[in-house]
Amino acid sequence: EKSGIKHLSFNKGELKFYDKENYVVSIKDIDFKYKKQKKSSSASLEGKFLNDVITINFKNERLKDELSHIISLKLINSGIFTKINILSPYKKDNSIRGNVLLKKDKNRLSANFDYKNKKMNLKDSKVRNAFLDGKLNGVIEFSPYFNFDLDLDLKGINFNKFYSYLTNMEMAKKKKIFQINEKL
């Protein structure tokens, strides 16, 4: 935030991700732009990722009593879209709140959350796809162990669409869905 850089851009770059010394994945042919204004900054990145086109946008903005961080990610060919809006107070109480949207085709999850003391509370969440519509609420703990207590309240299930989907599916895919574990 205190750097003197107002604008930055580069293209045809590559961003490599490592797990210690082991190469994991990279984003190639990057087109990156950064812009800083008085109370906000934004950055955008576009490139090639896992045989897809990825776009990532960041925006930080100083509001009256908190900071707003908006992150959006799109995988163009896969049709995946994610948007996260995080609001954090200026006070250092390690709490944040916000909302998240995950979409792929007709599959959709939208949720409001607050995070404090390594616990994320989900509230007013909506889950929807071609077969079901419902609400998701609960708590996800990240430390000392990953633990979750989530309630899924279904408003409706479209059994006709589910039945049609299963009957039109190829036999090999049906066997994978309804495969019984060999240990049984």
Side-chain angles (χ1 to χ4, degrees), residues 85-122:
N85 184 4
I86 300 170
L87 297 167
S88 58
Y90 289 131
K91 298 178 283 182
K92 296 287 184 186
D93 66 352
N94 295 325
S95 68
I96 60 172
R97 63 185 172 85
N99 55 60
V100 62
L101 171 66
L102 305 167
K103 279 178 32 175
K104 175 161 179 22
D105 304 326
K106 292 184 179 183
N107 303 308
R108 179 183 185 109
L109 168 69
S110 61
N112 293 319
F113 67 87
D114 57 57
Y115 178 84
K116 188 172 185 175
N117 298 329
K118 300 177 184 172
K119 289 184 182 180
M120 181 178 290
N121 294 308
L122 297 175

Side-chain angles (χ1 to χ4, degrees), residues 50-174:
L50 300 175
N51 297 324
D52 206 337
V53 176
I54 187 170
T55 62
I56 303 171
N57 294 302
F58 303 94
K59 184 174 182 181
N60 296 321
E61 188 172 3
R62 292 180 181 269
L63 303 174
K64 184 178 179 184
D65 295 324
E66 54 195 0
L67 295 171
S68 169
H69 312 281
I70 300 171
I71 305 161
S72 66
L73 180 138
K74 289 183 192 177
L75 291 169
I76 305 296
N77 300 335
S78 301
I80 297 172
F81 175 74
T82 302
K83 184 175 182 180
I84 304 169
N85 184 4
I86 300 170
L87 297 167
S88 58
Y90 289 131
K91 298 178 283 182
K92 296 287 184 186
D93 66 352
N94 295 325
S95 68
I96 60 172
R97 63 185 172 85
N99 55 60
V100 62
L101 171 66
L102 305 167
K103 279 178 32 175
K104 175 161 179 22
D105 304 326
K106 292 184 179 183
N107 303 308
R108 179 183 185 109
L109 168 69
S110 61
N112 293 319
F113 67 87
D114 57 57
Y115 178 84
K116 188 172 185 175
N117 298 329
K118 300 177 184 172
K119 289 184 182 180
M120 181 178 290
N121 294 308
L122 297 175
K123 51 191 173 189
D124 303 323
S125 304
K126 296 176 185 164
V127 179
R128 178 176 289 156
N129 68 19
F131 310 121
L132 59 88
D133 184 14
K135 294 183 177 186
L136 180 69
N137 293 300
V139 177
I140 301 172
E141 294 180 62
F142 296 97
S143 184
Y145 304 103
F146 182 75
N147 190 18
F148 58 92
D149 182 11
L150 300 173
D151 294 325
L152 176 63
D153 296 325
L154 293 178
K155 187 166 74 172
I157 300 174
N158 191 330
F159 286 107
N160 289 333
K161 282 187 180 181
F162 186 63
Y163 175 75
S164 297
Y165 176 77
L166 289 177
T167 56
N168 294 330
M169 187 183 288
E170 297 172 8
M171 187 55 74
K173 288 184 179 179
K174 284 182 189 178

